[in-house]
Amino acid sequence: NAGVTQTPKFQVLKTGQSMTLQCAQDMNHNSMYWYRQDPGMGLRLIYYSASEGTTDKGEVPNGYNVSRLNKREFSLRLESAAPSQTSVYFCASSEGSRDEQFFGPGTRLTVL
Amino acid sequence: TQLLEQSPQFLSIQEGENLTVYCNSSSVFSSLQWYRQEPGEGPVLLVTVVTGGEVKKLKRLTFQFGDARKDSSLHITAAQTGDTGLYLCAGAGAGSYQLTFGKGTKLSVIP
């Protein structure tokens, strides 16, 4: 089992460009999450999907959109990247919304 | 909004020393999880505590959940260089569909 996989691992964008971060899990988990991690700020929830077919905003959703494509996949889209979105992005999944979360290896995004 | 405050933010100690990190809140949590994150990787769960006053041991790591379920501590005995990393606590609030993460304690164990 691969667990939670994320692509790409690294990405550099120019301001205004768009991109989609991909996430997939093979543990048949119901819930999936997108976080960003910045120095001194900890993990901040961007969006989550409690179950297939549902998505909800987290603490910092502005500038992002998500799609729960199926039970396995949860993508994060930046429509018009800004330097403030430079961060490390983590996808995670869990069986239920308050259970142990399994994290992917992260995507390191730089917006110039 | 439920907040989790972790202290200290940074900790640098010599190998063999003991240490304690804290996770505090004014809110009650139904459960609390501790994660460790190594550089360049995602966090990995160490333990979940559920009952007020609960103590769990994982080799040299001892986790305690406060009686009122508002705080928790992680004690490491005889720290090793392999303990180096970012320690995060995360709480599940009643009625919440998500975990609240603290900002973490960055531990460096020096040989």
Side-chain angles (χ1 to χ4, degrees), chain A residues 35 37 40-43 45 48 90 97-101 103-105 108, chain B residues 30 33 35 37 40-43 45 92-93 95-99 101 103:
Chain A
Y35 294 91
Q37 188 173 39
M41 300 296 290
L43 282 165
L45 184 66
Y48 67 99
F90 287 100
S97 59
R98 297 191 221 170
D99 295 329
E100 171 188 3
Q101 293 190 12
F103 286 81
R108 283 141 189 84
Chain B
S30 57
Q33 301 172 7
Y35 291 79
Q37 184 179 16
E41 300 181 8
L45 182 76
S96 173
Y97 288 97
Q98 55 188 280
L99 293 178
F101 278 86
K103 293 182 180 180

Side-chain angles (χ1 to χ4, degrees), chain B residues 6-11 21-22 85-87 103-107:
Chain B
Q6 287 191 244
S7 62
Q9 190 175 359
F10 299 97
L11 188 56
V21 300
Y22 300 92
L86 179 68
Y87 289 81
K103 293 182 180 180
T105 293
K106 189 170 183 180
L107 172 65

Side-chain angles (χ1 to χ4, degrees), chain B residues 3-73:
Chain B
L3 295 176
L4 277 169
E5 299 286 340
Q6 287 191 244
S7 62
Q9 190 175 359
F10 299 97
L11 188 56
S12 182
I13 63 170
Q14 295 284 344
E15 199 170 23
E17 291 183 344
N18 302 331
L19 67 112
T20 303
V21 300
Y22 300 92
C23 177
N24 296 297
S25 176
S26 59
S27 303
V28 175
F29 290 97
S30 57
S31 66
L32 199 134
Q33 301 172 7
W34 283 93
Y35 291 79
R36 181 168 69 206
Q37 184 179 16
E38 299 190 16
E41 300 181 8
V44 176
L45 182 76
L46 295 173
V47 77
T48 300
V49 286
V50 178
T51 306
E54 182 177 4
V55 177
K56 280 193 174 179
K57 291 196 172 187
L58 188 66
K59 296 184 181 178
R60 294 175 295 100
L61 279 61
T62 302
F63 303 84
Q64 185 161 9
F65 201 13
D67 291 340
R69 290 185 287 133
K70 292 183 179 181
D71 54 86
S72 182
S73 64

Side-chain angles (χ1 to χ4, degrees), chain A residues 8-26:
Chain A
K9 285 199 165 187
F10 301 93
Q11 183 71 51
V12 179
L13 294 177
K14 294 181 179 178
T15 296
Q17 287 186 316
S18 62
M19 78 161 296
T20 300
L21 280 64
Q22 306 286 354
C23 173
Q25 52 91 8
D26 62 2

Side-chain angles (χ1 to χ4, degrees), chain A residues 13 17-22 33-38 44-48 55-67 74-90 107-111:
Chain A
L13 294 177
Q17 287 186 316
S18 62
M19 78 161 296
T20 300
L21 280 64
Q22 306 286 354
Y33 313 83
W34 276 105
Y35 294 91
R36 61 177 290 173
Q37 188 173 39
D38 303 290
R44 292 185 291 170
L45 184 66
I46 304 172
Y47 270 93
Y48 67 99
T55 60
D56 286 286
K57 294 178 180 179
E59 182 185 353
V60 289
N62 291 346
Y64 306 95
N65 284 299
V66 291
S67 296
F74 189 38
S75 63
L76 178 72
R77 182 159 179 84
L78 287 70
E79 289 292 350
S80 179
S84 61
Q85 294 178 305
T86 292
S87 187
V88 181
Y89 291 85
F90 287 100
T107 294
R108 283 141 189 84
L109 175 67
T110 301
V111 183

